[in-house]
Amino acid sequence: MNVPRLPAGEPHETSVLEVMHSLGYSDKDTFDIEPRVDIGRVSIVHGAHCEVIWSDHTGTEQTSDCRLSPSPAQRPVAGDWVRLSDGKITHVMTRRSALQRPDPNGRDVQVLAANLDLVLLVVPINRGLNVRMLERFAIMAWESGAQPFVVLTKSDAARNIAALMQETALAVPGVEILTTSSESGEGIEHLRALLHEGVTAVMLGASGAGKTSLLNALEGSAEVTRSVTRSGEGRHATTTRKLYRLNAGGVLLDIPGIRLLDLLVGQEGVNETFADIGELAVNCRFRDCAHNGDLGCAVEAAVVSGALARRRLENWRAVQSELTHQEHRRSPEEMARGRRSRPAPTADDRNRDD
Ligand SMILES: Nc1nc2c(ncn2[C@@H]2O[C@H](COP(=O)(O)OP(=O)(O)OP(=O)(O)O)[C@@H](O)[C@H]2O)c(=O)[nH]1
Ligand SMILES: [Mg+2]
Ligand SMILES: [Zn+2]
């Protein structure tokens, strides 16, 4: 455990820690608070500027509008801890977790939010459950290094909730599920209890899933929400990623809706989300079994015996092929070279001096 090093007997330093705690600082953070060093947390990034909430050395809370450095390595996102000097960001602390998706240019990744404990998978159930979407959000959450947690929304307008919860549990095994309604208040108290001091959570969900409404229900606040079209296009209410400090003591990031196509698929996240298939695969004859007509495949045998839903395997295959496609997109050189056994050198490889 990483206990912040603070000199004893200096009352103002205690207040520095208080401000830090109100910003979500916890023993999971791997940096120390040093005397006379200004540390803060990025609450929102807009264009070439970002807002940082920080404590000066007397423990007085400050909010600064900081210019971003043009170097991408120093480019903070909402949730980042930063060191400041004269109101300028001098250092972005190493992230202990990060929610990422493919960059719109398709070749890189974009960090959406940093230093998270919980990723709330916000999925509406008023029109049934979108399993494909839920699975992909779960993959993205597992990849982030934070704990996924499913928040099913709009329960007031849903039917057959027990069946939907069962379907959810099958899609994301091992992940806790909570049903909520921002209209009736169902589940809001439970959610509030989850978001206590020291917890940083982000809401991941499609546009119109009810993320901002949850924030309002939790806080009694009135951030603007607006109905969205069925396709989720064109009328996104939330356009920035922003960190809110909750009355419950925790910190919650509200981000714009994520489209299915924008999701980052990673092998680790796939393995966690499809842990049931992984368990069965232990008994496949070949270690690299593709569970697709391979000899001695235990996964396909489970589908035949009824132990595994066929749809589950089909979804796994779809995600696997997306993963391959994304890897190629991120590495066009490799694609151009065709299927050679040796992967194309990455920038890191080229910088090695061997
Ligand atoms: N019936 C019902 N409708 C809800 C509930 N929560 C949200 N809505 C409605 O769903 C619509 C979208 O809600 P938002 O909270 O703006 O959704 P969002 O996830 O923040 O959407 P983006 O900001 O675009 O990502 C609004 O019309 C809300 O009134 C709920 O618990 N029950
Ligand atoms: Mg919103
Ligand atoms: Zn197999």
Side-chain angles (χ1 to χ4, degrees):
M1 202 163 83
N2 184 45
V3 179
R5 281 196 302 265
L6 282 176
E10 285 187 43
H12 61 263
E13 299 292 359
T14 316
S15 328
V16 172
L17 200 54
E18 265 166 34
V19 176
M20 290 295 284
H21 281 154
S22 83
L23 290 168
Y25 183 70
S26 77
D27 53 20
K28 282 189 228 139
D29 287 297
T30 53
F31 61 89
D32 294 325
I33 301 167
E34 296 160 58
R36 283 169 294 283
V37 175
D38 297 334
I39 298 178
R41 196 164 200 193
V42 176
S43 60
I44 184 168
V45 177
H46 31 76
H49 292 256
C50 68
E51 190 183 277
V52 180
I53 309 171
W54 56 288
S55 168
D56 69 17
H57 66 277
T58 70
T60 307
E61 183 177 312
Q62 310 269 2
T63 301
S64 295
D65 187 50
C66 299
R67 258 192 92 77
L68 294 180
S69 134
S71 125
Q74 285 290 320
R75 204 149 261 253
V77 300
D80 261 323
W81 293 105
V82 292
R83 230 181 268 147
L84 301 166
S85 174
D86 295 330
K88 287 203 186 80
I89 294 172
T90 55
H91 183 73
V92 181
M93 305 293 191
T94 307
R95 294 170 182 145
R96 60 182 170 82
S97 58
L99 189 68
Q100 300 179 323
R101 70 165 178 193
D103 203 62
N105 68 26
R107 293 194 53 179
D108 217 337
V109 292
Q110 180 186 26
V111 180
L112 298 176
N115 302 311
L116 313 158
D117 302 293
L118 271 182
V119 179
L120 305 178
L121 313 178
V122 181
V123 179
I125 50 169
N126 57 327
R127 290 189 190 126
L129 181 75
N130 187 336
V131 173
R132 252 170 72 80
M133 196 152 234
L134 177 64
E135 283 166 351
R136 278 157 185 76
F137 287 148
I139 293 167
M140 203 169 161
W142 282 119
E143 285 288 311
S144 76
Q147 181 69 35
F149 190 104
V150 178
V151 179
L152 301 176
T153 57
K154 311 193 187 184
S155 70
D156 58 280
R159 277 182 304 162
N160 212 347
I161 293 176
L164 291 169
M165 284 192 69
Q166 223 171 7
E167 211 182 331
T168 306
L170 286 174
V172 286
V175 180
E176 269 191 79
I177 307 162
L178 178 67
T179 9
T180 64
S181 166
S182 300
E183 295 282 331
S184 75
E186 187 195 350
I188 300 301
E189 202 48 57
H190 188 141
L191 191 57
R192 196 175 285 137
L194 212 64
L195 303 172
H196 53 81
E197 186 175 284
V199 172
T200 299
V202 64
M203 293 186 286
L204 179 62
S207 184
K211 298 181 292 300
T212 305
S213 302
L214 279 179
L215 171 73
N216 289 340
L218 282 167
E219 291 295 280
S221 56
E223 294 291 337
V224 188
T225 64
R226 213 188 311 159
S227 54
V228 286
T229 59
R230 191 161 188 151
S231 65
E233 293 293 335
R235 299 177 65 194
H236 295 190
T238 308
T239 53
T240 48
R241 303 190 281 272
K242 187 171 175 189
L243 182 146
Y244 293 83
R245 286 187 285 177
L246 306 177
N247 295 319
V251 161
L252 183 62
L253 278 133
D254 188 15
I255 66 177
I258 302 270
R259 297 186 317 151
L260 203 59
L261 289 172
D262 284 344
L263 295 188
L264 179 75
V265 184
Q267 189 65 61
E268 256 178 60
V270 173
N271 294 348
E272 293 279 6
T273 304
F274 290 90
D276 47 349
I277 290 185
E279 269 169 38
L280 291 166
V282 172
N283 294 317
C284 290
R285 181 168 305 172
F286 300 108
R287 214 165 61 88
D288 61 348
C289 183
H291 319 317
N292 201 353
D294 304 53
L295 201 66
C297 176
V299 176
E300 285 184 294
V303 171
V304 172
S305 78
L308 181 74
R310 179 172 298 280
R311 205 174 89 179
R312 186 78 175 145
L313 178 57
E314 282 165 3
N315 292 358
W316 177 85
R317 283 185 188 140
V319 164
Q320 281 299 336
S321 77
E322 253 174 66
L323 184 64
T324 312
H325 177 73
Q326 280 193 3
E327 275 163 6
H328 282 174
R329 247 193 351 166
R330 251 176 273 144
S331 169
E333 299 94 340
E334 186 183 345
M335 236 172 130
R337 275 162 217 247
R339 293 180 188 276
R340 283 205 208 152
S341 52
R342 192 164 186 253
T346 62
D348 281 341
D349 291 328
R350 281 192 291 270
N351 291 338
R352 266 192 228 141
D353 51 12
D354 60 9

